[in-house]
């Protein structure tokens, strides 16, 4: 008969764990066991039979339960027959596989004499497992979990400097060395890091790898009192890619302040340096695609779509084209203005326009009226000069012109007007030569108003002579510069024919109402996590 003298039952659990090297492991040179740790462990106890230490062979059965009494069995029952017992001591090897996941467990032991077919006698109470058996949670494939509120499944700490609380290594391509997954319905954190003064989450990759990578509806989200994300790189501080939305999206969510959603700064002293660069990387891009796009959603007159400013004597905004395109294009529906310049304007090259004028505050009522005059046009590149001269005692005068006059002009035309009295014999006595011309036939001492015109023949004018009449050719033929004045639509314009960008915007006016980032982002599909990541 086996007596169950519970105080006499000694349980000693010894785990076959290779712990050497763990205390000295570091991120630079982590130690790893030669053979992966299994789930088996050695169980040693002492059996008292009839008040004396048992000797001989005994059959033992071992089971795990989730309660000290009753409850549900966890895993299978392990039977060990004819276990030798010497002076009460016995030793067996047990393997419950992945039963140890961090939950509280109790071990039940049953005994019967060896080489018998009788019933087993359970020893009571069950033995609470604590301490070493839970180290099995670190074996490959093991699961450690907690069922208590605000109690972590695993806590690892490194109280000393120059040490790491956790070191993990892996060699599987496409798989995670450390994998975190949040299965909560409300949403939590797959991986959470916190630092009192340093970096909460730090990633480093060699070669062309990625230090930290995130995927999801928002691949990465950051918030900081100074900066949400701080990144640096030899080529790119932040390299962001999107297949359908924005590679980089910045938002200033406050309704006050002057900070921008995205800001770029460079301290480079090299030529062609830029604080912010936008690029369309296709050699055959779509119509109205833009390297840099700025828009202001204000419906009134306040706000600016794109602002450029330079603090020295350079350019606030610069536009150029490497082909036969347009460096800068401005467009506005009537009665708006495609361009408005406050200050001097210089054009190096020819200027073509449908009409022109000056417009000033009316001299007689400057607060309430404007005064406008149209330009004087000519089919030639004509200059007009005029003045007043007084005739000498012989009724003659010589008008002296600037020393550059003949270098600039040719094909002169003259007009003389007598002032104060009729002078029927007034005439040009000598044509322009040596930058002067002569007047004669007038009344001595009288005044004469003169006007001279000349056609430019300087090198620029000779190189860029403006043709008076031209045949429309190619796509321009049958089109109009100003279709509205001929009762035609915008599709009949020359601008529509020669500019794919204009053609697209005319045919798709809704494209002018570009959707904002929030509109696009609301329709983004959530990317599924690829297997093994």
């Amino acid at each position: 008969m086996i007596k169950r003298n519970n105080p006499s039952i000694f349980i000693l659990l010894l785990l076959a764990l290779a712990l050497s090297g763990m205390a000295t492991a570091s991120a630079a040179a982590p130690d790893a066991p030669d053979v992966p740790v299994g789930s088996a462990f050695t169980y040693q106890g002492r059996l008292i039979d009839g008040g004396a230490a048992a000797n001989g062979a005994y059959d033992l059965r071992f089971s795990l339960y989730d309660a000290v009494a009753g409850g549900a069995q966890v895993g299978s029952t392990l039977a060990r027959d004819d276990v030798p017992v010497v002076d009460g001591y016995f030793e067996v090897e047990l393997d419950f596989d992945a039963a140890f996941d961090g939950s509280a467990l109790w071990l039940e032991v049953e005994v019967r004499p060896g080489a018998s077919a009788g019933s087993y006698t359970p020893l009571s109470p069950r033995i609470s497992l604590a301490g070493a058996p839970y180290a099995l949670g670190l074996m490959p494939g093991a699961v450690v979990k907690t069922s208590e509120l605000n109690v972590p499944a695993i806590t690892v700490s490194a109280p000393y400097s120059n040490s790491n609380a956790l070191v993990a290594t892996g060699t599987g391509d496409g798989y995670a060395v450390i994998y975190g997954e949040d299965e909560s319905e409300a949403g939590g954190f797959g991986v959470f890091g916190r630092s009192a003064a340093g970096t909460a989450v730090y990633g480093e990759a060699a070669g062309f790898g990625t230090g930290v990578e995130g995927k999801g509806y928002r691949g990465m989200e950051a918030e900081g009192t100074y900066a949400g994300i701080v990144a640096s790189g030899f080529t790119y501080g932040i390299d962001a890619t999107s297949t359908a939305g924005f590679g980089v999206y910045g938002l200033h969510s406050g309704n006050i302040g002057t900070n921008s959603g995205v800001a770029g700064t460079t301290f480079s002293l090299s030529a062609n340096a830029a604080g912010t660069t936008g690029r369309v990387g296709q050699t055959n891009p779509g119509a109205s695609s833009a390297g840099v796009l700025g828009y202001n959603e204000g419906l009134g007159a306040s706000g600016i779509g794109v602002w450029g400013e330079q603090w020295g004597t350079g350019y606030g905004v610069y536009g150029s084209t490497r082909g036969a395109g347009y460096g800068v294009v401005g467009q506005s529906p009537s009665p708006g203005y495609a361009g408005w310049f406050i200050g001097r304007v210089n054009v190096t090259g020819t200027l073509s326009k449908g009409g022109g004028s000056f417009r000033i505050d009316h001299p007689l009522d400057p607060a309430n009226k404007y005064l406008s005059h149209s330009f004087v046009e000519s089919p030639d590149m004509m200059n007009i000069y005029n003045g007043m001269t007084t005739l000498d005692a012989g009724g003659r005068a010589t008008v002296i012109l600037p020393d550059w006059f003949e270098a600039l002009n040719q094909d002169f035309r003259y007009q003389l007007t007598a002032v104060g009295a009729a002078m029927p014999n007034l005439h040009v006595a000598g044509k322009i030569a040596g930058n002067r011309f002569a007047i004669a036939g007038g009344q001595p001492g009288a005044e004469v108003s003169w006007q001279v015109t000349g056609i430019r023949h300087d090198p620029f004018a000779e190189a860029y002579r403006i043709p008076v009449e031209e045949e429309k050719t190619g796509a321009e033929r049958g089109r109009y510069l100003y279709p509205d004045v001929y009762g035609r639509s915008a599709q009949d314009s020359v601008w529509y024919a020669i500019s794919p960008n204009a053609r697209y915007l005319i045919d798709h006016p809704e494209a002018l109402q570009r959707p904002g980032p929030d509109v696009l982002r609301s329709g983004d599909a959530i990317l599924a996590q690829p297997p093994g990541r």
Side-chain angles (χ1 to χ4, degrees):
M1 182 69 180
I2 299 174
K3 295 183 179 179
R4 290 171 289 161
N5 192 343
N6 295 326
S8 300
I9 300 295
F10 297 95
I11 303 298
L12 178 62
L13 299 178
L14 303 177
L15 301 182
L17 298 179
L19 300 178
S20 62
M22 294 185 65
T24 59
S26 66
D31 293 328
D34 294 334
V35 179
V37 176
S39 58
F41 62 93
T42 300
Y43 176 93
Q44 189 180 68
R46 192 168 191 231
L47 184 63
I48 304 299
D49 187 0
N55 287 278
Y58 290 85
D59 294 340
L60 303 175
R61 289 199 311 192
F62 302 88
S63 303
L64 292 177
Y65 287 86
D66 61 2
V68 66
Q73 184 175 344
V74 178
S76 58
T77 298
L78 304 181
R80 300 291 183 265
D81 296 335
D82 296 329
V83 176
V85 178
V86 179
D87 195 24
Y89 292 101
F90 66 90
E91 182 178 296
V92 294
E93 185 176 271
L94 303 179
D95 189 350
F96 289 100
D97 198 18
F100 298 102
D101 62 0
S103 302
L105 295 176
W106 284 261
L107 178 66
E108 181 178 86
V109 182
E110 299 173 274
V111 184
R112 74 179 182 185
S116 69
S119 61
Y120 285 87
T121 300
L123 303 181
S124 180
R126 295 169 182 168
I127 302 167
S128 175
L129 298 183
Y134 291 123
L136 292 176
L138 300 179
M139 58 170 280
V143 177
V144 180
K145 65 181 180 181
T146 178
S147 58
E148 298 185 40
L149 185 64
N150 295 324
V151 175
I154 295 179
T155 299
V156 183
S157 65
Y160 303 105
S161 60
N162 300 322
S163 62
N164 299 291
L166 178 63
V167 176
T169 60
T171 59
D173 293 340
Y175 285 80
V177 176
I178 296 178
Y179 176 76
E181 181 174 344
D182 171 51
E183 297 180 347
S184 63
E185 295 182 359
F189 302 96
V191 175
F192 176 77
R194 173 180 292 169
S195 174
T199 302
V201 176
Y202 174 77
E204 180 177 321
F208 293 97
T210 302
V212 176
E213 178 177 348
K215 289 187 177 182
Y217 181 76
R218 294 181 177 89
M220 183 178 295
E221 182 171 346
E223 179 180 344
T225 55
Y226 172 73
I229 295 178
V230 176
S232 63
F234 182 78
T235 303
Y236 304 106
I238 295 178
D239 183 3
T241 302
S242 172
T243 57
F246 297 86
V248 174
Y249 171 67
L251 173 66
H252 173 78
S253 59
N255 56 10
I256 60 174
T258 59
N259 292 325
S260 57
V262 175
T265 301
T266 179
F267 293 100
S268 172
L269 298 177
S270 300
N272 298 320
T276 301
T277 299
R279 175 187 177 192
V280 176
Q282 296 288 347
T283 57
N284 188 25
S288 294
S289 55
V292 175
L293 169 65
Y295 54 89
N296 185 306
E297 296 181 356
L299 301 180
S302 297
I304 298 169
V306 175
W307 176 295
E309 181 173 320
Q310 205 271 347
W311 290 6
T313 58
Y315 309 123
V317 175
Y318 176 74
S320 67
T321 177
R322 297 185 180 183
Y326 308 92
V328 176
V329 173
Q331 180 176 336
S332 177
S334 179
Y337 292 87
W340 185 289
F341 301 92
I342 302 173
R344 298 185 301 169
V345 176
N346 178 75
V347 178
T348 302
T350 59
L351 176 67
S352 298
K353 56 186 177 52
S357 68
F358 76 73
R359 189 186 197 202
I360 63 172
D361 296 321
H362 199 293
L364 299 182
D365 191 359
N368 301 300
K369 291 183 179 181
Y370 294 110
L371 179 66
S372 301
H373 277 28
S374 294
F375 293 162
V376 175
E377 311 285 356
S378 169
D380 300 308
M381 299 176 75
M382 178 182 290
N383 294 320
I384 302 175
Y385 307 88
N386 54 52
M388 297 289 292
T389 187
T390 301
L391 302 178
D392 60 14
R396 304 175 65 87
T398 298
V399 178
I400 299 175
L401 300 168
D403 56 4
W404 42 257
F405 191 86
E406 290 182 87
L408 177 64
N409 299 287
Q410 64 181 4
D411 298 336
F412 306 112
R413 301 292 185 269
Y414 307 86
Q415 183 173 324
L416 302 176
T417 302
V419 178
M423 303 179 201
N425 296 322
L426 187 66
H427 61 281
V428 175
K431 294 182 178 182
I432 294 175
N435 298 315
R436 63 185 63 201
F437 70 96
I439 301 173
Q443 182 176 334
E447 286 188 308
V448 173
S449 173
W450 60 268
Q451 178 175 291
V452 172
T453 64
I455 307 301
R456 286 177 56 185
H457 71 131
D458 58 279
F460 179 88
E462 296 289 9
Y464 299 100
R465 190 69 62 185
I466 298 174
V468 178
E469 289 184 293
E470 295 178 83
E471 290 288 336
K472 293 179 180 178
T473 60
E476 298 180 14
R477 193 166 184 82
R479 307 281 181 168
Y480 303 82
L481 289 173
Y482 311 100
D484 54 319
V485 302
Y486 295 98
R488 310 302 290 263
S489 68
Q491 279 81 0
D492 295 319
S493 68
V494 171
W495 187 230
Y496 180 90
I498 65 176
S499 173
N501 296 319
R503 185 161 55 250
Y504 179 82
L505 293 177
I506 291 173
D507 290 340
H508 303 85
E510 71 279 0
L512 293 173
Q513 307 298 324
R514 292 181 181 265
D518 292 330
V519 175
L520 286 181
R521 195 170 65 179
S522 65
D524 287 346
I526 299 178
L527 300 178
Q529 178 173 294
R533 300 288 289 187

